[in-house]
PDB file of all heavy atoms in Angstrom:
ATOM      1  N   ALA A  74       1.942  28.834  11.256  1.00 95.00           N
ATOM      2  CA  ALA A  74       0.696  28.302  10.682  1.00 95.00           C
ATOM      3  C   ALA A  74       0.501  28.824   9.256  1.00 95.00           C
ATOM      4  O   ALA A  74       0.164  28.072   8.348  1.00 95.00           O
ATOM      5  CB  ALA A  74      -0.485  28.694  11.568  1.00 95.00           C
ATOM      6  N   VAL A 142       9.486   8.007  18.142  1.00 97.00           N
ATOM      7  CA  VAL A 142       9.844   6.723  18.774  1.00 97.00           C
ATOM      8  C   VAL A 142      10.224   5.683  17.713  1.00 97.00           C
ATOM      9  O   VAL A 142      11.183   4.936  17.882  1.00 97.00           O
ATOM     10  CB  VAL A 142       8.677   6.200  19.656  1.00 97.00           C
ATOM     11  CG1 VAL A 142       8.895   4.750  20.065  1.00 97.00           C
ATOM     12  CG2 VAL A 142       8.491   7.086  20.880  1.00 97.00           C
ATOM     13  N   ALA A 191      16.998  23.095  27.003  1.00 97.00           N
ATOM     14  CA  ALA A 191      18.233  23.339  27.764  1.00 97.00           C
ATOM     15  C   ALA A 191      19.354  23.731  26.802  1.00 97.00           C
ATOM     16  O   ALA A 191      20.118  24.664  27.068  1.00 97.00           O
ATOM     17  CB  ALA A 191      18.616  22.101  28.567  1.00 97.00           C
ATOM     18  N   GLY A 205      19.437  27.559  18.397  1.00 94.00           N
ATOM     19  CA  GLY A 205      20.735  27.518  19.063  1.00 94.00           C
ATOM     20  C   GLY A 205      21.318  26.142  19.349  1.00 94.00           C
ATOM     21  O   GLY A 205      22.546  25.990  19.366  1.00 94.00           O
ATOM     22  N   ILE A 242      24.669  27.146  34.657  1.00 98.00           N
ATOM     23  CA  ILE A 242      25.192  27.576  33.346  1.00 98.00           C
ATOM     24  C   ILE A 242      25.147  29.106  33.259  1.00 98.00           C
ATOM     25  O   ILE A 242      26.122  29.749  32.846  1.00 98.00           O
ATOM     26  CB  ILE A 242      24.384  26.937  32.186  1.00 98.00           C
ATOM     27  CG1 ILE A 242      24.639  25.430  32.126  1.00 98.00           C
ATOM     28  CG2 ILE A 242      24.727  27.593  30.846  1.00 98.00           C
ATOM     29  CD1 ILE A 242      23.730  24.657  31.183  1.00 98.00           C
ATOM     30  N   ILE A 271      24.652  18.414  29.911  1.00 98.00           N
ATOM     31  CA  ILE A 271      23.291  18.000  29.494  1.00 98.00           C
ATOM     32  C   ILE A 271      23.307  16.513  29.118  1.00 98.00           C
ATOM     33  O   ILE A 271      22.462  15.732  29.553  1.00 98.00           O
ATOM     34  CB  ILE A 271      22.770  18.869  28.316  1.00 98.00           C
ATOM     35  CG1 ILE A 271      22.648  20.340  28.749  1.00 98.00           C
ATOM     36  CG2 ILE A 271      21.419  18.342  27.823  1.00 98.00           C
ATOM     37  CD1 ILE A 271      22.315  21.318  27.623  1.00 98.00           C
ATOM     38  N   ARG A 301      25.977  14.604  18.427  1.00 98.00           N
ATOM     39  CA  ARG A 301      27.065  13.635  18.263  1.00 98.00           C
ATOM     40  C   ARG A 301      27.510  13.017  19.582  1.00 98.00           C
ATOM     41  O   ARG A 301      27.666  11.804  19.705  1.00 98.00           O
ATOM     42  CB  ARG A 301      28.256  14.324  17.574  1.00 98.00           C
ATOM     43  CG  ARG A 301      29.396  13.396  17.212  1.00 98.00           C
ATOM     44  CD  ARG A 301      30.709  14.135  17.096  1.00 98.00           C
ATOM     45  NE  ARG A 301      31.060  14.866  18.309  1.00 98.00           N
ATOM     46  CZ  ARG A 301      31.599  14.320  19.398  1.00 98.00           C
ATOM     47  NH1 ARG A 301      31.843  13.031  19.447  1.00 98.00           N
ATOM     48  NH2 ARG A 301      31.868  15.062  20.460  1.00 98.00           N
ATOM     49  N   PRO A 362       1.791  -1.046  28.687  1.00 45.00           N
ATOM     50  CA  PRO A 362       2.242  -2.351  28.219  1.00 45.00           C
ATOM     51  C   PRO A 362       1.381  -3.456  28.801  1.00 45.00           C
ATOM     52  O   PRO A 362       1.010  -3.388  29.969  1.00 45.00           O
ATOM     53  CB  PRO A 362       3.661  -2.450  28.763  1.00 45.00           C
ATOM     54  CG  PRO A 362       4.076  -1.066  29.020  1.00 45.00           C
ATOM     55  CD  PRO A 362       2.832  -0.316  29.375  1.00 45.00           C
TER      56      PRO A 362
END
Side-chain angles (χ1 to χ4, degrees):
V142 167
I242 291 170
I271 297 173
R301 186 204 57 80

